[in-house]
Amino acid sequence: MGIGDRFGKFLKDELDCRSVWPPVLTPMQLGDYGVTDGASFQKLGNITDFGLTLEIEVGQPSSLNLVSSGVKQTRLAAGAAVPAFQGLGNVAAKLGIEFSRSESFVLKCRRVERTQIRNLGALALRLSRARTADGQAWKHLAWKIVWQLYSGCDVVFLATRGAGTRVEFSGSADALQQLEMGSLSAGIGVQTSHSLGCEVLGQSGPVGYGLARVKVIGAGVKFFSSDLEEEEADAVEHLSAEEPPLESLADEDEPAADAGPVTADPAAPTKEPS
């Protein structure tokens, strides 16, 4: 298991979402669509390319502090070990982080915010007949949509390849207290004993996301976890005679977001369009 895989497992357990790898550094937006390659997502475009408008809703912000197993943190202030930096002011201090295992990480976000597409159901209905400017049709089975996004502000992320790596931050106790809360301020020094697999200090960007796939038959929505076996099992849809063909959706006027399924003609073909 690599660093990215281990990080993905932690985010799945903590936030029930997929991990952006590398976090913050990888551009990602709500409405991005593409294909999955194992645990990774390969972007092809954004569904706004099909002339659709996203309605975004925002959840309550929170903080995030994730440390994988085998990570030890030590705190020194004025040369003595302390349990915390809170209330120690401008005393010279050090925060040591030691990775006793390979492929370990520390993630701290002063603020993490979840956003998602509110009108995904309505968009699913429209995608069946939407086209890009150059006439490209939507590929329902192959393409998935980023419908949910976790964005971190003032992210501190450290990931190591090998065991025994040590990272030491030095500065005032106040500054290191803020660092532990996920905010990197000026005047903090950083030293590492080995090169890190990934290092993000004080930047903001995406750390996790959720995927969905819209279905042309019945215009439903399928949500994906990070379970690859679930994705593989869903690669082929088994359609019933009760589900309407694509033509019945294309002939309709713009339906409401909560419109129910359309009853199909029993004689209608049930083969899903390619």
Side-chain angles (χ1 to χ4, degrees):
M1 181 182 289
I3 308 173
D5 295 328
R6 192 176 299 278
F7 178 57
K9 183 179 184 304
F10 266 75
L11 276 198
K12 169 61 180 173
D13 293 342
E14 296 294 326
L15 300 179
D16 194 24
C17 68
R18 291 170 177 260
S19 62
V20 176
W21 185 259
V24 177
L25 308 178
T26 303
M28 185 173 287
Q29 301 179 64
L30 288 176
D32 284 351
Y33 70 88
V35 297
T36 49
D37 179 13
S40 65
F41 175 75
Q42 305 299 327
K43 177 182 174 179
L44 298 175
N46 192 281
I47 60 174
T48 55
D49 300 339
F50 289 82
L52 304 178
T53 301
L54 309 183
E55 295 178 9
I56 308 301
E57 57 184 354
V58 182
Q60 290 295 321
S62 182
S63 59
L64 192 62
N65 189 349
L66 296 179
V67 179
S68 62
S69 59
V71 177
K72 180 182 178 182
Q73 301 183 68
T74 57
R75 301 169 185 83
L76 296 175
V82 294
F85 295 120
Q86 188 173 5
L88 299 182
N90 290 324
V91 173
K94 292 182 179 181
L95 172 65
I97 302 176
E98 185 174 351
F99 299 88
S100 61
R101 296 177 54 179
S102 60
E103 299 172 351
S104 301
F105 71 89
V106 170
L107 171 66
K108 299 176 183 293
C109 300
R110 180 179 62 82
R111 176 188 174 101
V112 63
E113 187 174 76
R114 168 177 161 171
T115 55
Q116 62 188 39
I117 300 176
R118 178 169 53 194
N119 61 331
L120 186 61
L123 297 179
L125 292 169
R126 294 181 175 90
L127 274 173
S128 62
R129 50 189 177 274
R131 297 291 186 273
T132 61
D134 60 0
Q136 171 68 60
W138 183 260
K139 298 184 184 299
H140 290 81
L141 280 176
W143 292 347
K144 300 181 180 72
I145 303 168
V146 176
W147 78 278
Q148 185 181 86
L149 198 61
Y150 288 85
S151 300
C153 180
D154 292 340
V155 176
V156 174
F157 180 77
L158 304 171
T160 181
R161 297 188 184 94
T165 301
R166 180 176 174 82
V167 180
E168 185 177 84
F169 295 92
S170 58
S172 69
D174 273 348
L176 295 184
Q177 168 68 14
Q178 293 301 311
L179 174 66
E180 290 201 282
M181 295 170 58
S183 180
L184 184 71
S185 59
I188 292 183
V190 184
Q191 289 185 330
T192 61
S193 62
H194 299 79
S195 62
L196 295 169
C198 184
E199 177 181 334
V200 177
L201 298 176
Q203 297 164 269
S204 300
V207 295
Y209 66 102
L211 286 182
R213 178 171 63 76
V214 302
K215 300 179 181 180
V216 61
I217 303 300
V221 178
K222 165 71 176 179
F223 296 96
F224 293 94
S225 69
S226 59
D227 189 339
L228 298 181
E229 292 183 1
E230 177 187 334
E231 277 200 28
E232 292 170 359
D234 188 72
V236 177
E237 285 188 20
H238 301 281
L239 307 178
S240 70
E242 296 181 355
E243 294 175 306
L246 175 60
E247 290 79 3
S248 67
L249 291 175
D251 293 337
E252 294 177 347
D253 293 329
E254 287 294 320
D258 58 351
V262 179
T263 303
D265 183 346
T270 58
K271 181 180 179 182
E272 185 170 9
S274 57

